[in-house]
């Protein structure tokens, strides 16, 4: 137990979908409701879920006035609201993908703050701090703006959405940051971390900063069936939507060996696709690799189990089979494979180019 009363393993964030309900918890609550889970029916308007995430984010930012002011400005910005809606229209209605709009923005925002808090409590210094550009408040501002704006480029096209997102986010970020940073020299430096995180959130290219890694990993944690159900109901029946329906819960908590532990609970082993293809590469290929443990388990009462536990060890999954055997499998990082193929054709190393 540390000075603030939190012990290893105490949850900082949970996104859970069970029996048609979505529960999301981020940060610590105080007062008579402390320890209780906020629950909203999945059939209620999405505004309810957004408001739950909003309250969680505001709780986490209560000690960071600059970051909280930036968040309040962003969530009420009409341009940002339009970006989220149009990004969702293209990804869900035209491509049949999972949610990439407003709900996703708020959920990843809450997850990003939870990861940031755990890293800082674990003694990890981010690049904004190490470079001398800013302090903790600037780090939280960067994470909340980066996570919530990372996917808006999808409204133009999925291909190149990262770069599109940088261009679309720039005027919003300037509008929000200008009154908060009278010194343009510092404002532009902090802004560079936000734009870099948006550009690298999908590992194309992989992020170089801790702040970029936090945004990428937070994005990868939104893999529960709450996100996949809408795409599935709209007729998108593929490995993405089906595997998303197999993930019940994602928990971000303090780890024992590393500052952050991300635990994924599946109702069906098909959910391993979400972990392997979406979340694991974002842990492996970011600066967070040394600070995050990843675990995935299937519920005992779920399907006839093939495996009981999966954990990430370096760039391999170690799988514990029901038979008692243990199998190691390399993570299938398709973007890295493409980069390696290009590098091989050019006769250079993909690690040093």
């Amino acid at each position: 137990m540390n000075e603030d009363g939190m012990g290893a393993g105490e949850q900082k964030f949970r996104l859970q979908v069970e029996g048609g309900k979505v529960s999301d918890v981020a940060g610590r609550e105080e007062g008579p409701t402390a320890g209780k889970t906020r629950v909203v029916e999945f059939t209620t308007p999405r505004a309810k879920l957004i408001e739950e995430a909003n309250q969680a984010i505001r709780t986490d930012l209560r000690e960071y006035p600059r970051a909280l002011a930036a968040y309040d400005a962003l969530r009420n910005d009409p341009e940002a609201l339009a970006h989220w809606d149009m990004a969702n229209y293209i990804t869900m209605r035209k491509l049949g993908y999972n949610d990439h709009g407003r709900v996703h923005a708020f959920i990843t925002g809450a997850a990003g703050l939870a990861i940031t808090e755990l890293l800082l409590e674990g003694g990890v210094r981010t690049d904004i701090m190490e470079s001398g550009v800013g302090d903790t408040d600037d780090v939280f501002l960067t994470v909340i703006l980066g996570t919530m704006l990372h996917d808006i480029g999808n409204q133009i096209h999925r291909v190149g959405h990262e770069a599109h997102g940088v261009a679309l986010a720039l005027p919003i970020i300037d509008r929000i940051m200008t009154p908060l940073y009278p010194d343009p020299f510092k404002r532009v430096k902090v802004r560079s971390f936000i734009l870099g995180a948006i550009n690298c959130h999908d590992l194309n290219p992989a992020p170089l900063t801790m702040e970029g890694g936090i945004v990428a990993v937070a994005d990868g944690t939104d893999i529960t069936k709450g996100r996949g159900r809408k795409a599935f109901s709209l007729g998108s029946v593929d490995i993405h939507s089906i595997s998303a329906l197999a993930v019940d819960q994602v928990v971000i908590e303090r780890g024992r060996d590393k500052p952050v532990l991300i635990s994924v609970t599946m109702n069906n082993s098909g959910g391993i696709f979400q972990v392997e293809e979406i979340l694991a590469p974002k842990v492996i290929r970011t600066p967070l690799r040394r600070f995050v443990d990843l675990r995935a388990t299937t519920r005992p009462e779920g399907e006839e189990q093939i495996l009981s536990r999966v954990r990430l060890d370096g760039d391999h999954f170690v799988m514990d089979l029901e038979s008692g055997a243990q199998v190691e499998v390399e993570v299938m990082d398709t973007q890295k494979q493409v980069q390696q193929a290009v590098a091989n054709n050019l006769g250079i190393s993909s690690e040093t180019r």
Side-chain angles (χ1 to χ4, degrees), residues 286-305:
T286 73
L288 267 63
R289 176 173 179 162
R290 294 185 295 122
F291 308 111
V292 176
D293 269 334
L294 177 59
R295 301 284 187 270
T297 58
T298 50
R299 288 191 292 104
E301 67 272 21
E303 61 168 8
E304 180 179 349
Q305 294 187 39

Side-chain angles (χ1 to χ4, degrees), residues 8 48 69 93 107 109 119 122 175 191 249 264 289 311 345:
K48 179 63 176 176
R93 296 286 178 174
I107 288 175
L119 289 171
R175 184 162 59 247
R191 186 186 68 181
Q249 178 178 268
V264 180
R289 176 173 179 162
R311 68 182 184 276
N345 286 336

Side-chain angles (χ1 to χ4, degrees), residues 313 316-319 326-330:
D313 185 2
H316 286 69
F317 279 118
V318 179
M319 302 185 181
Q326 193 173 82
V327 178
E328 291 192 16
V329 181
E330 184 176 3

Side-chain angles (χ1 to χ4, degrees), residues 150-189:
H150 75 274
D151 259 344
I152 62 175
N154 281 287
Q155 66 186 281
I156 296 177
H157 203 286
R158 179 65 181 174
V159 176
H161 75 282
E162 305 95 337
H164 296 319
V166 170
L168 293 171
L170 187 56
I172 299 175
I173 294 171
D174 281 342
R175 184 162 59 247
I176 290 172
M177 292 185 68
T178 298
L180 299 175
Y181 292 86
D183 178 8
F185 188 71
K186 179 174 181 177
R187 181 175 71 245
V188 170
K189 285 190 171 185

Side-chain angles (χ1 to χ4, degrees), residues 7-10 253-261 293:
E10 186 164 345
E253 57 191 322
R254 178 178 291 119
R256 296 194 176 276
D257 301 318
K258 297 181 181 180
V260 182
L261 170 62
D293 269 334

Side-chain angles (χ1 to χ4, degrees), residues 43-156:
T43 53
T44 59
R46 62 179 184 167
K48 179 63 176 176
L49 179 55
I50 290 173
E51 182 54 30
E52 291 291 327
N54 166 54
Q55 292 301 321
I57 291 170
R58 291 184 61 80
T59 298
D60 282 352
L61 294 181
R62 64 185 180 273
E63 297 179 5
Y64 307 103
R66 224 171 14 249
L68 181 57
Y71 166 69
D72 280 336
L74 176 63
R75 73 185 183 94
N76 293 310
D77 189 281
E79 192 173 343
L81 295 172
H83 285 332
W84 287 322
D85 287 350
M86 291 311 300
N88 221 24
Y89 176 77
I90 293 298
T91 53
M92 295 187 70
R93 296 286 178 174
K94 308 306 291 185
L95 294 174
Y97 287 4
N98 294 340
D99 169 54
H100 285 74
R102 207 179 305 187
V103 173
H104 176 56
F106 277 80
I107 288 175
T108 54
L113 297 182
I115 293 170
T116 303
E117 189 173 354
L118 288 168
L119 289 171
L120 295 176
E121 288 177 355
V124 179
R125 289 175 57 83
T126 72
D127 282 276
I128 284 180
M129 301 166 72
E130 278 294 304
S131 64
V133 168
D135 58 18
T136 306
D137 203 346
D138 301 308
V139 174
F140 277 93
L141 180 145
T142 295
V143 169
I144 196 61
L145 293 185
T147 48
M148 294 192 67
L149 291 171
H150 75 274
D151 259 344
I152 62 175
N154 281 287
Q155 66 186 281
I156 296 177

